[in-house]
Amino acid sequence: MGFRAWQRGFWVKEGERVTPGTILVRQVTVTCHPGEHVGMGRDRTLFALEHGRLFVTTEAINPNWKHRYVREAYTGREGHTIFKTFVHIHPDPQPQKFKLVSLI
């Protein structure tokens, strides 16, 4: 086992500030999906891609029922609303460093 490999779940609380590369969620199966400014590692670990604050949403999805994988994964749930949890980073605002030449 690797460093803290046994500790699964959220490593950062919602609303906390994060930096790029910060581990957000450790998971064995994909229970939380990467949203905006969030990447997924080979071991399904979610990590931040930008500076900002963490927030989590639960969104309804409309899967394409023609795909074999979707039919296998969601057997018996046809016609029901399917929800997925997404982890997002709301980036910090960029500082206003530049001025127009006409204003100088």
Side-chain angles (χ1 to χ4, degrees), residues 54-97:
L54 172 78
F55 69 98
V56 181
T57 60
T58 302
E59 302 173 16
I61 63 162
N62 185 14
N64 184 354
W65 293 101
K66 294 178 183 177
H67 286 87
R68 181 179 60 88
Y69 170 75
V70 172
R71 287 194 308 268
E72 289 174 4
Y74 300 113
T75 301
R77 295 175 65 181
E78 297 88 352
H80 293 87
T81 305
I82 298 171
F83 293 96
K84 287 192 176 184
T85 303
F86 290 90
V87 178
H88 306 278
I89 298 295
H90 186 267
D92 293 334
Q94 296 293 320
Q96 301 295 327
K97 294 182 180 178

mmCIF file of all heavy atoms in Angstrom, residues 54-97:
data_model
loop_
_atom_site.group_PDB
_atom_site.id
_atom_site.type_symbol
_atom_site.label_atom_id
_atom_site.label_comp_id
_atom_site.label_asym_id
_atom_site.label_seq_id
_atom_site.Cartn_x
_atom_site.Cartn_y
_atom_site.Cartn_z
ATOM 1 N N LEU A 54 -13.128 24.612 -3.658
ATOM 2 C CA LEU A 54 -13.778 23.351 -3.998
ATOM 3 C C LEU A 54 -15.281 23.459 -3.766
ATOM 4 O O LEU A 54 -15.716 24.013 -2.755
ATOM 5 C CB LEU A 54 -13.217 22.228 -3.122
ATOM 6 C CG LEU A 54 -13.916 20.880 -3.224
ATOM 7 C CD1 LEU A 54 -13.481 20.172 -4.486
ATOM 8 C CD2 LEU A 54 -13.622 20.032 -2.020
ATOM 9 N N PHE A 55 -16.057 22.957 -4.713
ATOM 10 C CA PHE A 55 -17.487 22.773 -4.456
ATOM 11 C C PHE A 55 -17.976 21.523 -5.174
ATOM 12 O O PHE A 55 -17.398 21.089 -6.152
ATOM 13 C CB PHE A 55 -18.315 24.017 -4.805
ATOM 14 C CG PHE A 55 -18.416 24.337 -6.264
ATOM 15 C CD1 PHE A 55 -19.519 23.946 -6.997
ATOM 16 C CD2 PHE A 55 -17.424 25.061 -6.900
ATOM 17 C CE1 PHE A 55 -19.628 24.259 -8.331
ATOM 18 C CE2 PHE A 55 -17.519 25.376 -8.233
ATOM 19 C CZ PHE A 55 -18.615 24.973 -8.956
ATOM 20 N N VAL A 56 -19.005 20.927 -4.612
ATOM 21 C CA VAL A 56 -19.536 19.646 -5.070
ATOM 22 C C VAL A 56 -20.975 19.842 -5.508
ATOM 23 O O VAL A 56 -21.748 20.522 -4.832
ATOM 24 C CB VAL A 56 -19.455 18.590 -3.935
ATOM 25 C CG1 VAL A 56 -19.990 17.255 -4.403
ATOM 26 C CG2 VAL A 56 -18.042 18.464 -3.420
ATOM 27 N N THR A 57 -21.330 19.252 -6.645
ATOM 28 C CA THR A 57 -22.710 19.327 -7.125
ATOM 29 C C THR A 57 -23.213 17.920 -7.432
ATOM 30 O O THR A 57 -22.428 17.020 -7.728
ATOM 31 C CB THR A 57 -22.824 20.175 -8.408
ATOM 32 O OG1 THR A 57 -22.017 19.588 -9.426
ATOM 33 C CG2 THR A 57 -22.388 21.607 -8.166
ATOM 34 N N THR A 58 -24.515 17.750 -7.349
ATOM 35 C CA THR A 58 -25.173 16.527 -7.789
ATOM 36 C C THR A 58 -26.071 16.916 -8.943
ATOM 37 O O THR A 58 -26.961 17.752 -8.791
ATOM 38 C CB THR A 58 -25.994 15.900 -6.650
ATOM 39 O OG1 THR A 58 -25.112 15.645 -5.558
ATOM 40 C CG2 THR A 58 -26.641 14.610 -7.090
ATOM 41 N N GLU A 59 -25.808 16.328 -10.100
ATOM 42 C CA GLU A 59 -26.502 16.736 -11.316
ATOM 43 C C GLU A 59 -27.217 15.545 -11.950
ATOM 44 O O GLU A 59 -26.724 14.424 -11.912
ATOM 45 C CB GLU A 59 -25.495 17.318 -12.312
ATOM 46 C CG GLU A 59 -24.740 18.500 -11.748
ATOM 47 C CD GLU A 59 -23.620 18.988 -12.648
ATOM 48 O OE1 GLU A 59 -23.613 18.613 -13.838
ATOM 49 O OE2 GLU A 59 -22.764 19.725 -12.157
ATOM 50 N N ALA A 60 -28.356 15.828 -12.522
ATOM 51 C CA ALA A 60 -29.101 14.811 -13.262
ATOM 52 C C ALA A 60 -28.453 14.652 -14.633
ATOM 53 O O ALA A 60 -28.060 15.628 -15.261
ATOM 54 C CB ALA A 60 -30.553 15.220 -13.421
ATOM 55 N N ILE A 61 -28.310 13.401 -15.066
ATOM 56 C CA ILE A 61 -27.727 13.149 -16.382
ATOM 57 C C ILE A 61 -28.750 12.435 -17.249
ATOM 58 O O ILE A 61 -29.708 11.835 -16.758
ATOM 59 C CB ILE A 61 -26.437 12.315 -16.288
ATOM 60 C CG1 ILE A 61 -26.735 10.928 -15.708
ATOM 61 C CG2 ILE A 61 -25.375 13.034 -15.488
ATOM 62 C CD1 ILE A 61 -25.652 9.933 -15.972
ATOM 63 N N ASN A 62 -28.536 12.511 -18.537
ATOM 64 C CA ASN A 62 -29.388 11.827 -19.494
ATOM 65 C C ASN A 62 -28.474 10.948 -20.352
ATOM 66 O O ASN A 62 -27.970 11.395 -21.377
ATOM 67 C CB ASN A 62 -30.143 12.836 -20.359
ATOM 68 C CG ASN A 62 -31.128 12.151 -21.273
ATOM 69 O OD1 ASN A 62 -31.434 10.987 -21.104
ATOM 70 N ND2 ASN A 62 -31.618 12.883 -22.254
ATOM 71 N N PRO A 63 -28.212 9.701 -19.930
ATOM 72 C CA PRO A 63 -27.272 8.854 -20.676
ATOM 73 C C PRO A 63 -27.849 8.415 -22.019
ATOM 74 O O PRO A 63 -29.066 8.365 -22.219
ATOM 75 C CB PRO A 63 -27.072 7.654 -19.753
ATOM 76 C CG PRO A 63 -28.286 7.601 -18.924
ATOM 77 C CD PRO A 63 -28.756 9.015 -18.772
ATOM 78 N N ASN A 64 -26.950 8.090 -22.929
ATOM 79 C CA ASN A 64 -27.341 7.596 -24.244
ATOM 80 C C ASN A 64 -27.611 6.100 -24.118
ATOM 81 O O ASN A 64 -26.689 5.291 -24.036
ATOM 82 C CB ASN A 64 -26.228 7.872 -25.261
ATOM 83 C CG ASN A 64 -26.625 7.477 -26.660
ATOM 84 O OD1 ASN A 64 -27.681 6.890 -26.877
ATOM 85 N ND2 ASN A 64 -25.789 7.811 -27.623
ATOM 86 N N TRP A 65 -28.874 5.725 -24.125
ATOM 87 C CA TRP A 65 -29.269 4.334 -23.876
ATOM 88 C C TRP A 65 -28.901 3.399 -25.018
ATOM 89 O O TRP A 65 -29.027 2.184 -24.897
ATOM 90 C CB TRP A 65 -30.762 4.257 -23.591
ATOM 91 C CG TRP A 65 -31.106 4.913 -22.302
ATOM 92 C CD1 TRP A 65 -31.642 6.149 -22.120
ATOM 93 C CD2 TRP A 65 -30.891 4.394 -20.988
ATOM 94 N NE1 TRP A 65 -31.782 6.428 -20.787
ATOM 95 C CE2 TRP A 65 -31.328 5.358 -20.069
ATOM 96 C CE3 TRP A 65 -30.367 3.199 -20.502
ATOM 97 C CZ2 TRP A 65 -31.263 5.168 -18.694
ATOM 98 C CZ3 TRP A 65 -30.293 3.010 -19.130
ATOM 99 C CH2 TRP A 65 -30.738 3.988 -18.242
ATOM 100 N N LYS A 66 -28.412 3.934 -26.141
ATOM 101 C CA LYS A 66 -28.024 3.087 -27.266
ATOM 102 C C LYS A 66 -26.683 2.400 -27.029
ATOM 103 O O LYS A 66 -26.402 1.378 -27.647
ATOM 104 C CB LYS A 66 -27.940 3.923 -28.544
ATOM 105 C CG LYS A 66 -29.285 4.464 -28.981
ATOM 106 C CD LYS A 66 -29.154 5.314 -30.217
ATOM 107 C CE LYS A 66 -30.500 5.916 -30.590
ATOM 108 N NZ LYS A 66 -30.388 6.814 -31.742
ATOM 109 N N HIS A 67 -25.846 2.949 -26.150
ATOM 110 C CA HIS A 67 -24.547 2.356 -25.882
ATOM 111 C C HIS A 67 -24.687 1.132 -24.969
ATOM 112 O O HIS A 67 -25.427 1.157 -23.993
ATOM 113 C CB HIS A 67 -23.613 3.375 -25.220
ATOM 114 C CG HIS A 67 -23.109 4.396 -26.173
ATOM 115 N ND1 HIS A 67 -23.797 5.545 -26.440
ATOM 116 C CD2 HIS A 67 -21.983 4.428 -26.927
ATOM 117 C CE1 HIS A 67 -23.132 6.264 -27.318
ATOM 118 N NE2 HIS A 67 -22.021 5.612 -27.631
ATOM 119 N N ARG A 68 -23.934 0.098 -25.298
ATOM 120 C CA ARG A 68 -23.989 -1.156 -24.535
ATOM 121 C C ARG A 68 -23.576 -0.938 -23.080
ATOM 122 O O ARG A 68 -24.205 -1.458 -22.164
ATOM 123 C CB ARG A 68 -23.082 -2.189 -25.186
ATOM 124 C CG ARG A 68 -23.080 -3.527 -24.480
ATOM 125 C CD ARG A 68 -22.172 -4.525 -25.173
ATOM 126 N NE ARG A 68 -20.797 -4.072 -25.230
ATOM 127 C CZ ARG A 68 -19.884 -4.291 -24.274
ATOM 128 N NH1 ARG A 68 -20.224 -4.967 -23.200
ATOM 129 N NH2 ARG A 68 -18.662 -3.843 -24.397
ATOM 130 N N TYR A 69 -22.529 -0.153 -22.860
ATOM 131 C CA TYR A 69 -22.057 0.084 -21.488
ATOM 132 C C TYR A 69 -23.135 0.758 -20.639
ATOM 133 O O TYR A 69 -23.332 0.401 -19.479
ATOM 134 C CB TYR A 69 -20.801 0.952 -21.506
ATOM 135 C CG TYR A 69 -20.407 1.425 -20.139
ATOM 136 C CD1 TYR A 69 -19.810 0.551 -19.240
ATOM 137 C CD2 TYR A 69 -20.671 2.718 -19.714
ATOM 138 C CE1 TYR A 69 -19.469 0.960 -17.964
ATOM 139 C CE2 TYR A 69 -20.341 3.134 -18.443
ATOM 140 C CZ TYR A 69 -19.735 2.257 -17.576
ATOM 141 O OH TYR A 69 -19.418 2.669 -16.314
ATOM 142 N N VAL A 70 -23.835 1.713 -21.205
ATOM 143 C CA VAL A 70 -24.884 2.417 -20.459
ATOM 144 C C VAL A 70 -26.006 1.456 -20.102
ATOM 145 O O VAL A 70 -26.502 1.451 -18.975
ATOM 146 C CB VAL A 70 -25.410 3.618 -21.281
ATOM 147 C CG1 VAL A 70 -26.623 4.239 -20.613
ATOM 148 C CG2 VAL A 70 -24.310 4.647 -21.461
ATOM 149 N N ARG A 71 -26.401 0.611 -21.043
ATOM 150 C CA ARG A 71 -27.458 -0.363 -20.761
ATOM 151 C C ARG A 71 -27.035 -1.333 -19.663
ATOM 152 O O ARG A 71 -27.827 -1.685 -18.789
ATOM 153 C CB ARG A 71 -27.832 -1.116 -22.030
ATOM 154 C CG ARG A 71 -28.622 -0.287 -23.035
ATOM 155 C CD ARG A 71 -29.255 -1.147 -24.111
ATOM 156 N NE ARG A 71 -28.318 -2.046 -24.760
ATOM 157 C CZ ARG A 71 -27.628 -1.778 -25.865
ATOM 158 N NH1 ARG A 71 -27.776 -0.608 -26.450
ATOM 159 N NH2 ARG A 71 -26.816 -2.663 -26.393
ATOM 160 N N GLU A 72 -25.759 -1.764 -19.664
ATOM 161 C CA GLU A 72 -25.274 -2.689 -18.636
ATOM 162 C C GLU A 72 -25.175 -2.011 -17.272
ATOM 163 O O GLU A 72 -25.526 -2.591 -16.255
ATOM 164 C CB GLU A 72 -23.909 -3.243 -19.032
ATOM 165 C CG GLU A 72 -23.948 -4.213 -20.188
ATOM 166 C CD GLU A 72 -22.557 -4.636 -20.636
ATOM 167 O OE1 GLU A 72 -21.568 -4.227 -19.990
ATOM 168 O OE2 GLU A 72 -22.467 -5.365 -21.629
ATOM 169 N N ALA A 73 -24.684 -0.772 -17.259
ATOM 170 C CA ALA A 73 -24.455 -0.067 -15.991
ATOM 171 C C ALA A 73 -25.757 0.361 -15.330
ATOM 172 O O ALA A 73 -25.844 0.411 -14.101
ATOM 173 C CB ALA A 73 -23.556 1.138 -16.219
ATOM 174 N N TYR A 74 -26.758 0.689 -16.121
ATOM 175 C CA TYR A 74 -28.004 1.230 -15.569
ATOM 176 C C TYR A 74 -29.198 0.332 -15.846
ATOM 177 O O TYR A 74 -30.313 0.816 -16.031
ATOM 178 C CB TYR A 74 -28.258 2.628 -16.128
ATOM 179 C CG TYR A 74 -27.161 3.603 -15.798
ATOM 180 C CD1 TYR A 74 -26.344 4.126 -16.786
ATOM 181 C CD2 TYR A 74 -26.921 3.998 -14.488
ATOM 182 C CE1 TYR A 74 -25.335 5.023 -16.486
ATOM 183 C CE2 TYR A 74 -25.914 4.886 -14.174
ATOM 184 C CZ TYR A 74 -25.131 5.393 -15.183
ATOM 185 O OH TYR A 74 -24.124 6.267 -14.878
ATOM 186 N N THR A 75 -28.995 -0.969 -15.850
ATOM 187 C CA THR A 75 -30.088 -1.913 -16.096
ATOM 188 C C THR A 75 -31.177 -1.736 -15.048
ATOM 189 O O THR A 75 -30.907 -1.647 -13.858
ATOM 190 C CB THR A 75 -29.560 -3.364 -16.039
ATOM 191 O OG1 THR A 75 -28.552 -3.517 -17.021
ATOM 192 C CG2 THR A 75 -30.678 -4.347 -16.297
ATOM 193 N N GLY A 76 -32.408 -1.660 -15.498
ATOM 194 C CA GLY A 76 -33.547 -1.515 -14.597
ATOM 195 C C GLY A 76 -33.829 -0.083 -14.187
ATOM 196 O O GLY A 76 -34.763 0.171 -13.436
ATOM 197 N N ARG A 77 -33.032 0.865 -14.664
ATOM 198 C CA ARG A 77 -33.244 2.265 -14.282
ATOM 199 C C ARG A 77 -33.738 3.109 -15.454
ATOM 200 O O ARG A 77 -33.722 4.336 -15.383
ATOM 201 C CB ARG A 77 -31.947 2.848 -13.734
ATOM 202 C CG ARG A 77 -31.542 2.146 -12.443
ATOM 203 C CD ARG A 77 -30.216 2.583 -11.929
ATOM 204 N NE ARG A 77 -30.212 3.974 -11.524
ATOM 205 C CZ ARG A 77 -29.149 4.602 -11.057
ATOM 206 N NH1 ARG A 77 -28.013 3.955 -10.922
ATOM 207 N NH2 ARG A 77 -29.206 5.861 -10.725
ATOM 208 N N GLU A 78 -34.152 2.462 -16.533
ATOM 209 C CA GLU A 78 -34.678 3.191 -17.673
ATOM 210 C C GLU A 78 -35.909 3.977 -17.244
ATOM 211 O O GLU A 78 -36.751 3.487 -16.507
ATOM 212 C CB GLU A 78 -35.055 2.247 -18.820
ATOM 213 C CG GLU A 78 -33.898 1.483 -19.411
ATOM 214 C CD GLU A 78 -33.623 0.176 -18.706
ATOM 215 O OE1 GLU A 78 -34.240 -0.089 -17.656
ATOM 216 O OE2 GLU A 78 -32.777 -0.578 -19.190
ATOM 217 N N GLY A 79 -35.990 5.210 -17.672
ATOM 218 C CA GLY A 79 -37.123 6.050 -17.326
ATOM 219 C C GLY A 79 -36.986 6.766 -15.992
ATOM 220 O O GLY A 79 -37.806 7.603 -15.655
ATOM 221 N N HIS A 80 -35.960 6.436 -15.203
ATOM 222 C CA HIS A 80 -35.722 7.100 -13.925
ATOM 223 C C HIS A 80 -34.679 8.199 -14.109
ATOM 224 O O HIS A 80 -33.853 8.140 -15.010
ATOM 225 C CB HIS A 80 -35.212 6.108 -12.878
ATOM 226 C CG HIS A 80 -36.224 5.094 -12.477
ATOM 227 N ND1 HIS A 80 -36.396 3.920 -13.163
ATOM 228 C CD2 HIS A 80 -37.120 5.084 -11.473
ATOM 229 C CE1 HIS A 80 -37.354 3.209 -12.590
ATOM 230 N NE2 HIS A 80 -37.816 3.893 -11.558
ATOM 231 N N THR A 81 -34.707 9.178 -13.241
ATOM 232 C CA THR A 81 -33.698 10.217 -13.254
ATOM 233 C C THR A 81 -32.435 9.674 -12.597
ATOM 234 O O THR A 81 -32.480 9.131 -11.505
ATOM 235 C CB THR A 81 -34.178 11.467 -12.495
ATOM 236 O OG1 THR A 81 -35.422 11.886 -13.061
ATOM 237 C CG2 THR A 81 -33.168 12.586 -12.588
ATOM 238 N N ILE A 82 -31.303 9.821 -13.277
ATOM 239 C CA ILE A 82 -30.020 9.329 -12.771
ATOM 240 C C ILE A 82 -29.193 10.535 -12.352
ATOM 241 O O ILE A 82 -29.039 11.487 -13.110
ATOM 242 C CB ILE A 82 -29.297 8.496 -13.840
ATOM 243 C CG1 ILE A 82 -30.156 7.276 -14.195
ATOM 244 C CG2 ILE A 82 -27.917 8.078 -13.359
ATOM 245 C CD1 ILE A 82 -29.665 6.493 -15.369
ATOM 246 N N PHE A 83 -28.656 10.472 -11.139
ATOM 247 C CA PHE A 83 -27.856 11.571 -10.608
ATOM 248 C C PHE A 83 -26.402 11.135 -10.459
ATOM 249 O O PHE A 83 -26.128 9.985 -10.128
ATOM 250 C CB PHE A 83 -28.389 12.006 -9.236
ATOM 251 C CG PHE A 83 -29.741 12.635 -9.296
ATOM 252 C CD1 PHE A 83 -30.879 11.893 -9.062
ATOM 253 C CD2 PHE A 83 -29.886 13.977 -9.598
ATOM 254 C CE1 PHE A 83 -32.136 12.455 -9.113
ATOM 255 C CE2 PHE A 83 -31.129 14.568 -9.663
ATOM 256 C CZ PHE A 83 -32.258 13.814 -9.420
ATOM 257 N N LYS A 84 -25.486 12.077 -10.718
ATOM 258 C CA LYS A 84 -24.061 11.837 -10.513
ATOM 259 C C LYS A 84 -23.487 12.996 -9.711
ATOM 260 O O LYS A 84 -23.944 14.133 -9.825
ATOM 261 C CB LYS A 84 -23.319 11.731 -11.839
ATOM 262 C CG LYS A 84 -23.603 10.433 -12.567
ATOM 263 C CD LYS A 84 -22.653 10.245 -13.709
ATOM 264 C CE LYS A 84 -22.888 8.893 -14.348
ATOM 265 N NZ LYS A 84 -21.933 8.632 -15.408
ATOM 266 N N THR A 85 -22.464 12.705 -8.907
ATOM 267 C CA THR A 85 -21.797 13.712 -8.094
ATOM 268 C C THR A 85 -20.561 14.203 -8.834
ATOM 269 O O THR A 85 -19.737 13.403 -9.271
ATOM 270 C CB THR A 85 -21.386 13.115 -6.741
ATOM 271 O OG1 THR A 85 -22.553 12.608 -6.100
ATOM 272 C CG2 THR A 85 -20.747 14.161 -5.851
ATOM 273 N N PHE A 86 -20.438 15.523 -8.973
ATOM 274 C CA PHE A 86 -19.304 16.137 -9.649
ATOM 275 C C PHE A 86 -18.551 17.027 -8.674
ATOM 276 O O PHE A 86 -19.155 17.689 -7.835
ATOM 277 C CB PHE A 86 -19.767 16.983 -10.841
ATOM 278 C CG PHE A 86 -20.292 16.165 -11.983
ATOM 279 C CD1 PHE A 86 -21.635 15.834 -12.053
ATOM 280 C CD2 PHE A 86 -19.447 15.729 -12.980
ATOM 281 C CE1 PHE A 86 -22.125 15.084 -13.100
ATOM 282 C CE2 PHE A 86 -19.922 14.972 -14.042
ATOM 283 C CZ PHE A 86 -21.264 14.652 -14.097
ATOM 284 N N VAL A 87 -17.233 17.035 -8.790
ATOM 285 C CA VAL A 87 -16.366 17.876 -7.976
ATOM 286 C C VAL A 87 -15.808 18.962 -8.881
ATOM 287 O O VAL A 87 -15.247 18.674 -9.943
ATOM 288 C CB VAL A 87 -15.218 17.055 -7.356
ATOM 289 C CG1 VAL A 87 -14.290 17.934 -6.557
ATOM 290 C CG2 VAL A 87 -15.778 15.944 -6.492
ATOM 291 N N HIS A 88 -15.979 20.233 -8.483
ATOM 292 C CA HIS A 88 -15.537 21.377 -9.277
ATOM 293 C C HIS A 88 -14.594 22.256 -8.472
ATOM 294 O O HIS A 88 -14.633 22.264 -7.243
ATOM 295 C CB HIS A 88 -16.726 22.258 -9.684
ATOM 296 C CG HIS A 88 -17.817 21.531 -10.390
ATOM 297 N ND1 HIS A 88 -17.782 21.245 -11.733
ATOM 298 C CD2 HIS A 88 -18.992 21.022 -9.942
ATOM 299 C CE1 HIS A 88 -18.891 20.610 -12.081
ATOM 300 N NE2 HIS A 88 -19.639 20.455 -11.002
ATOM 301 N N ILE A 89 -13.790 23.022 -9.180
ATOM 302 C CA ILE A 89 -12.983 24.073 -8.579
ATOM 303 C C ILE A 89 -13.436 25.393 -9.188
ATOM 304 O O ILE A 89 -13.441 25.557 -10.405
ATOM 305 C CB ILE A 89 -11.472 23.874 -8.852
ATOM 306 C CG1 ILE A 89 -10.984 22.580 -8.247
ATOM 307 C CG2 ILE A 89 -10.666 25.060 -8.338
ATOM 308 C CD1 ILE A 89 -11.038 22.523 -6.741
ATOM 309 N N HIS A 90 -13.844 26.317 -8.321
ATOM 310 C CA HIS A 90 -14.190 27.658 -8.784
ATOM 311 C C HIS A 90 -12.912 28.479 -8.704
ATOM 312 O O HIS A 90 -12.416 28.763 -7.612
ATOM 313 C CB HIS A 90 -15.280 28.274 -7.908
ATOM 314 C CG HIS A 90 -15.763 29.572 -8.430
ATOM 315 N ND1 HIS A 90 -15.227 30.762 -8.028
ATOM 316 C CD2 HIS A 90 -16.712 29.864 -9.347
ATOM 317 C CE1 HIS A 90 -15.824 31.736 -8.660
ATOM 318 N NE2 HIS A 90 -16.737 31.221 -9.467
ATOM 319 N N PRO A 91 -12.326 28.853 -9.874
ATOM 320 C CA PRO A 91 -11.016 29.495 -9.850
ATOM 321 C C PRO A 91 -11.047 30.879 -9.219
ATOM 322 O O PRO A 91 -12.054 31.585 -9.276
ATOM 323 C CB PRO A 91 -10.617 29.570 -11.322
ATOM 324 C CG PRO A 91 -11.871 29.399 -12.087
ATOM 325 C CD PRO A 91 -12.835 28.666 -11.218
ATOM 326 N N ASP A 92 -9.896 31.250 -8.621
ATOM 327 C CA ASP A 92 -9.747 32.598 -8.070
ATOM 328 C C ASP A 92 -9.759 33.598 -9.216
ATOM 329 O O ASP A 92 -9.263 33.304 -10.311
ATOM 330 C CB ASP A 92 -8.418 32.722 -7.312
ATOM 331 C CG ASP A 92 -8.405 31.870 -6.061
ATOM 332 O OD1 ASP A 92 -9.497 31.600 -5.519
ATOM 333 O OD2 ASP A 92 -7.309 31.478 -5.620
ATOM 334 N N PRO A 93 -10.299 34.805 -8.983
ATOM 335 C CA PRO A 93 -10.293 35.812 -10.050
ATOM 336 C C PRO A 93 -8.859 36.243 -10.372
ATOM 337 O O PRO A 93 -8.012 36.329 -9.481
ATOM 338 C CB PRO A 93 -11.107 36.961 -9.472
ATOM 339 C CG PRO A 93 -11.145 36.735 -8.012
ATOM 340 C CD PRO A 93 -10.965 35.277 -7.782
ATOM 341 N N GLN A 94 -8.619 36.497 -11.636
ATOM 342 C CA GLN A 94 -7.296 36.936 -12.074
ATOM 343 C C GLN A 94 -7.093 38.404 -11.722
ATOM 344 O O GLN A 94 -8.013 39.210 -11.866
ATOM 345 C CB GLN A 94 -7.153 36.744 -13.589
ATOM 346 C CG GLN A 94 -7.223 35.306 -14.027
ATOM 347 C CD GLN A 94 -6.032 34.510 -13.527
ATOM 348 O OE1 GLN A 94 -4.911 35.000 -13.525
ATOM 349 N NE2 GLN A 94 -6.288 33.291 -13.078
ATOM 350 N N PRO A 95 -5.898 38.775 -11.272
ATOM 351 C CA PRO A 95 -5.653 40.183 -10.959
ATOM 352 C C PRO A 95 -5.651 41.032 -12.229
ATOM 353 O O PRO A 95 -5.227 40.570 -13.288
ATOM 354 C CB PRO A 95 -4.279 40.170 -10.300
ATOM 355 C CG PRO A 95 -3.645 38.911 -10.769
ATOM 356 C CD PRO A 95 -4.759 37.938 -11.011
ATOM 357 N N GLN A 96 -6.130 42.261 -12.112
ATOM 358 C CA GLN A 96 -6.186 43.182 -13.245
ATOM 359 C C GLN A 96 -4.843 43.898 -13.349
ATOM 360 O O GLN A 96 -4.634 44.938 -12.737
ATOM 361 C CB GLN A 96 -7.338 44.170 -13.064
ATOM 362 C CG GLN A 96 -8.701 43.526 -12.949
ATOM 363 C CD GLN A 96 -9.114 42.817 -14.223
ATOM 364 O OE1 GLN A 96 -8.768 43.245 -15.320
ATOM 365 N NE2 GLN A 96 -9.820 41.719 -14.090
ATOM 366 N N LYS A 97 -3.923 43.361 -14.130
ATOM 367 C CA LYS A 97 -2.573 43.912 -14.238
ATOM 368 C C LYS A 97 -2.414 44.859 -15.425
ATOM 369 O O LYS A 97 -1.544 45.714 -15.425
ATOM 370 C CB LYS A 97 -1.550 42.786 -14.393
ATOM 371 C CG LYS A 97 -1.432 41.891 -13.192
ATOM 372 C CD LYS A 97 -0.362 40.852 -13.441
ATOM 373 C CE LYS A 97 -0.228 39.929 -12.253
ATOM 374 N NZ LYS A 97 0.765 38.884 -12.496
#
